[in-house]
Structure formats: C-alpha cells, structure tokens
Amino acid sequence: MKHRNNGFGTRVRQIGTGLAGVVLVSALAAACSSSSSTSSSTAGAGSGGGGGATSSCGTAVAVGPKNPDGVYSSLSPDLKKIYTSYPDNLIESPWATTKITAKPPWKIGYVAFAITNPYNQHVLDGLKTQFAQAKAAGLVTGSLVTNIPATMAASTAEQQISAIQQMVRQGVNAIIVLPVDSVAETPAINAAGKAGVPVILADTPPAPGNNYAVSAWTQNQVQADAGALGLIQKGNIVIVKGIAGNQNDVVLYNQKIANLKNCPDIHVAATLYGNWDEGTAKTVVSQYIASHPQPLAGVLQDGGMMAGVVQAFEANGLKVPVIADGQCGGGDLSWWLQHKDTYKTVGGCINGFQGAYTYFNVTLRVLDNKGPKVNILSMPITPITNANLATFAKPGLPLSSQEEVGGPATAWCDNTCMDKYFNTPGPASAS
C-alpha cells in the first residue's frame, strides 16, 4: 500500500465516541459480480489467503505482497498463501538477525488507546495473566507496565509516542502497542527498535516505513468481509470503519475495496466511522438510515461493531441485512444463532484472552532471539458460517451481552502455530 494515493499516510483526527467523531465519506461506487452464490464456502476456509485475479464475488482477492521477489519468495507454500492478503511490502524482520542483548527476566510494557469494548478489556486482563505466568517461570520481572488513557479523547498519537519514549527510558525491554495512529507513531517505534526495544503491534499491520515493529495480525475481518459480499451479491451497502488513521483500519478498508472489484452489482452508499465501539456504530448507522430511506443490502464493519449495527436497524424498524461479523462477540453470535433459520452472514473472531496470549508469547519469543521471519505475523483464524455457528455461539445471550466468543487462550495461535513464523521454533526460555 505504500505510495498509493489511498489515504494511507493521512490522518483524519476523528476519534471521539459521539456524533463529533462521525465521519461520513462521500459515496463511492464499487463492484461485486453475481457469478457466485457460494460465499460461505469461498471465504478462504481459514487459510487467510486471497484468491486469484479471476476470483468471484465472495472470495478474498489477492492484494500482495507488493514485493513478491523479496523475503516472500523464501517462505513455505503455506505462508505464501496466507500473505497474498497483505498488500504492502513484506520485509524481513530486523529481529530475524539482530540479537537482543537483554537477558531474562525482562520488563514488558503495554500501550493502548482507551478501553471501548470487552475485547480491549480482556486483552489487558489476559496480558496480566500471561505476565504472572511468565514471572513464575522466571521470564519477566516486576509488573506489566501499562499506559492506557481513560477516554478516547485522551487517546492520541502524541500521547502514545510519549508513552513509548518514557517506557524506553524506564528500561522496558519490549512494548506491546495497540496504536491510535501507527503512521504518526512509526518514528517512535523505529527509535525504540534502534535502542534495542522491540515493539509488538497488537492485531495491527505495520505502517509504511515501520521497520522495527513486529505485528501479530488475525486477518479476522478479511474472510468475514469477503464471505458477506458473496451473500449480498447486489444492492447498496454501508462500510463502518474503525478509527481513522489506524493501520489495521486502512488495510482492512483497502481489502474491502479490492474485494468489491469482483462485485459490480454492489455499490458503497456511504462510509462511516464507528471507532470500534458498539454505541458509536449504532449512532452513526441510525443517523444514516434515518436520513437515507433507500434499502441497504448489507454492511461491512471493521470489527466488534455488529451488535451496534443490528440495534440501529431494529430501532428503525428495518429488516437486518447481511452484516459482516468480523471480530464478533458473544451477543451478536447469540443473536445470529437465534435467527439462523432466516439470517446468514460470515464472521471471524478471537477473544481478548486469545489475543493477549499471542501478543505476549510473540513478545517473549522476540526477546529470546527466536527470530521472527517477517515484520508481520499474519495468523488467520477459522471463518464462522451458519454451518459451524453453533460451535462458537452461546444460546440465549442478549445482543448487548459483553461476553466474547469462547475457547482456550491458545485458540488463535498456539506454540505449534507460532513456530512457522520464527526461525527458531519453541517458546521462550529463562535459561
């Protein structure tokens, strides 16, 4: 995505959680072919890879990497398929060869924007649990060093840059970051790396020019979006994005647009910002449909906002269209299960504890010089469809439930899964 005129390097300062944080982007025409109606089965089957140039509507389109002759050419066939959905340059991680001199026990930091949903809270709780277990094993010392503002208004790139710099000065050995604006924060992340402090990005791809970060990325919206488009097939849709300037939001949006090129009968009526917050998503979607009575065939949302979007349609007395359920939660999965006979979509999600397990153990492996092969560890999850929904959904939960999808902490990427992303397999050791 580097060097494209697609807003990749621009920052729209709209991260409030009320109407002041709403951005309505002018409608844009995009595409989706009606040549296939088997979307649930064409969402990548959990591989995370994109389809070829002749992919039908409902398949994740291959968008990269931009430099296939680089480190990508040396990867296993399995990893090559996964990385077709990464649109930027795939580079060798400097930590693949640069040895970190700090020995265990290490000091670990966590920088994040304000907690706006159960997932973010459970990431924090899970990191504390992982830290306690690692401390008992002699891998870390002290307590998890955290910097998390109380509000989204206080969650700025400048605040996170200051937090990263302060942690480096305090002698923190590695920092896990859930960035507000990974483009603006890239110089601080690179400076930390040059000082021997790796930054692990939590489910956010690295920004262009970010050479020292290691990203652990689920791709969970990629397959959900593609599968939902295959179900929608034609009509107008709305895209509900996350936080403006966040690199994950940028990558996911561009993947949506790439997928839509195979869908000429689907048109984007509007793009809204929901800030990855159910309440904000409900507000902006309600506002839109109240002022635009034309029917909507579907909604693509950037994660964790399906419940709010459902509530917006129900509050306006409208039939709920297909909503891509990327980063799903317990409430929306239960609602979907309740309406399974008449409702179809595609989802994909992990819970915060599963995210915390992966972020923390990737961090420990990097510190232990296991050598991550590339700068982004793209770790796909299994798409959820009507066929396997009962495995993930808990019956009887209200739509507003704060429960997340279930499963053990290792469900996203356990030690065996992580091994293929590192030059030296195996978990970190205190010896």
Side-chain angles (χ1 to χ4, degrees), residues 18 20 102 105 149 257 275 283 298 307 341 358 360 416:
I257 298 306
N275 294 338
T283 297
D341 291 342
T358 301
F360 196 84
T416 300

Side-chain angles (χ1 to χ4, degrees), residues 189-229:
I189 293 171
N190 283 340
K194 292 176 183 178
V197 180
V199 170
I200 282 63
L201 297 177
D203 210 9
T204 303
N210 192 328
N211 299 322
Y212 283 90
V214 176
S215 169
W217 188 40
T218 60
Q219 298 187 312
N220 57 23
Q221 288 95 336
V222 172
Q223 305 306 319
D225 288 344
L229 288 174

Side-chain angles (χ1 to χ4, degrees), residues 50-350:
T54 59
S55 299
S56 59
C57 182
T59 311
V61 174
V63 294
K66 288 177 63 178
N67 57 337
D69 296 329
V71 67
Y72 174 82
S73 64
S74 67
L75 299 178
S76 67
D78 180 37
L79 287 179
K80 283 183 177 179
K81 184 177 181 181
I82 288 171
Y83 282 104
T84 59
S85 64
Y86 182 60
D88 205 351
N89 287 318
L90 188 66
I91 64 173
E92 181 181 39
S93 172
W95 310 111
T97 54
T98 300
K99 299 300 181 183
I100 296 173
T101 58
K103 303 298 181 183
W106 298 294
K107 293 177 67 176
I108 309 293
Y110 178 51
V111 176
F113 51 77
I115 293 173
T116 59
N117 55 49
Y119 174 82
N120 291 343
Q121 181 62 58
H122 293 160
V123 168
L124 176 60
D125 296 342
L127 287 174
K128 290 179 178 179
T129 297
Q130 294 300 318
F131 189 96
Q133 293 173 357
K135 187 172 183 178
L139 289 165
V140 298
T141 186
S143 300
L144 181 68
V145 182
T146 62
N147 188 293
I148 307 172
T151 66
M152 286 302 298
S155 301
T156 65
E158 294 77 15
Q159 179 270 328
Q160 291 197 330
I161 289 169
S162 177
I164 292 169
Q165 293 170 337
Q166 182 179 11
M167 287 188 185
V168 172
R169 291 193 298 268
Q170 291 175 338
V172 169
N173 300 117
I175 308 170
I176 301 167
V177 177
L178 182 58
V180 172
D181 184 346
S182 49
V183 174
E185 293 167 38
T186 286
I189 293 171
N190 283 340
K194 292 176 183 178
V197 180
V199 170
I200 282 63
L201 297 177
D203 210 9
T204 303
N210 192 328
N211 299 322
Y212 283 90
V214 176
S215 169
W217 188 40
T218 60
Q219 298 187 312
N220 57 23
Q221 288 95 336
V222 172
Q223 305 306 319
D225 288 344
L229 288 174
L231 290 169
I232 295 166
Q233 290 295 316
K234 63 180 180 180
N236 291 331
I237 67 169
V238 164
I239 294 176
V240 182
K241 300 182 69 176
I243 294 175
N246 181 282
Q247 201 68 8
N248 196 35
D249 190 62
V250 173
V251 169
L252 293 172
Y253 177 76
N254 288 332
Q255 179 73 60
K256 289 177 176 63
I257 298 306
N259 292 345
L260 280 160
K261 290 178 181 178
N262 282 336
C263 307
D265 295 325
I266 296 180
H267 307 280
V268 179
T271 301
L272 315 172
Y273 280 101
N275 294 338
W276 286 311
D277 177 75
E278 291 179 359
T280 303
K282 177 182 178 181
T283 297
V284 297
V285 174
S286 292
Q287 181 183 20
Y288 177 81
I289 60 181
S291 58
H292 297 79
Q294 299 83 0
L296 288 174
V299 177
L300 304 184
Q301 56 90 24
D302 268 3
M305 299 179 287
M306 179 173 172
V309 177
V310 170
Q311 289 172 336
F313 281 91
E314 291 185 336
N316 283 273
L318 299 174
K319 179 182 178 181
V320 178
V322 175
I323 303 169
D325 200 8
Q327 195 44 49
C328 38
D332 44 78
L333 286 177
S334 189
W335 179 92
W336 177 7
L337 183 65
Q338 181 184 354
H339 297 84
K340 181 181 174 182
D341 291 342
T342 58
Y343 188 82
K344 291 183 179 180
T345 189
V346 178
C349 46
I350 59 171

